[in-house]
Amino acid sequence: MMKCRLFSALLLLFILMAAGCSGQPAAVTADGLADQVYIYEKEGFGSDFYITLNSDGSMRCSEGALSSYFGLGTWKLDGDTVILTTDDEKFVNRFAVKDGTLVYQSADSTGFMYLTVSDGEKFLPSGAPVGRLDIDEGENDAPTPFP
């Protein structure tokens, strides 16, 4: 009876350890990345440098409030690599996806207009749904009228 309980306890422990330590990372999916705003880990050009990935395959990016270029285009997922292409085809940039973060891949990327992003630098998910991120680009700077 004691051997049976010991065997059962060890078997249960083994099953729990195997289930918790599969070692396989979660698969990267377009649905898991879409409708998110990603913010550059460093300073943007006058404000946050952000990239928005929409579920319809469109994207937009802004290097910051002082940038005169507003990148509109498309994005696609190729394995665990996100590829951004602007509509004017001036910029094509690649990012590896690691734990929900976009990690810049300088190889085969054109770079950006005003800022230099180095290989391995990150764009972190903001946690804000698309259209809800308060990016300070001056639209709320109007003075409040007196009562």
Side-chain angles (χ1 to χ4, degrees):
M1 184 68 153
M2 182 69 144
K3 286 183 182 180
C4 184
R5 285 186 184 169
L6 180 60
F7 177 76
S8 295
L10 288 174
L11 182 61
L12 180 61
L13 181 63
F14 177 76
I15 291 170
L16 290 174
M17 285 178 33
C21 300
S22 66
Q24 298 297 321
V28 176
T29 66
D31 288 341
L33 298 170
D35 294 328
Q36 295 284 329
V37 178
Y38 298 86
I39 299 175
Y40 184 41
E41 66 183 338
K42 294 186 175 178
E43 181 69 27
F45 193 49
S47 68
D48 287 332
F49 178 178
Y50 71 90
I51 296 169
T52 302
L53 304 180
N54 298 304
S55 58
D56 65 358
S58 66
M59 71 87 184
R60 67 180 184 264
C61 67
S62 172
E63 293 182 50
L66 299 178
S67 172
S68 61
Y69 183 79
F70 192 69
L72 299 174
T74 59
W75 71 279
K76 68 178 180 177
L77 181 63
D78 183 11
D80 66 348
T81 302
V82 170
I83 303 169
L84 307 180
T85 305
T86 57
D87 287 340
D88 59 12
E89 298 182 358
K90 283 185 176 182
F91 302 100
V92 177
N93 289 292
R94 290 170 171 74
F95 299 83
V97 180
K98 306 240 189 227
D99 298 323
T101 297
L102 303 182
V103 181
Y104 186 66
Q105 305 295 296
S106 61
D108 299 322
S109 289
T110 57
F112 298 93
M113 183 168 283
Y114 295 110
L115 297 176
T116 300
V117 177
S118 297
D119 192 58
E121 291 183 335
K122 299 173 184 166
F123 285 74
L124 308 168
S126 69
V130 170
R132 300 284 185 199
L133 184 64
D134 183 22
I135 303 290
D136 183 13
E137 293 190 4
E139 61 259 5
N140 296 324
D141 292 344
T144 305
F146 293 112

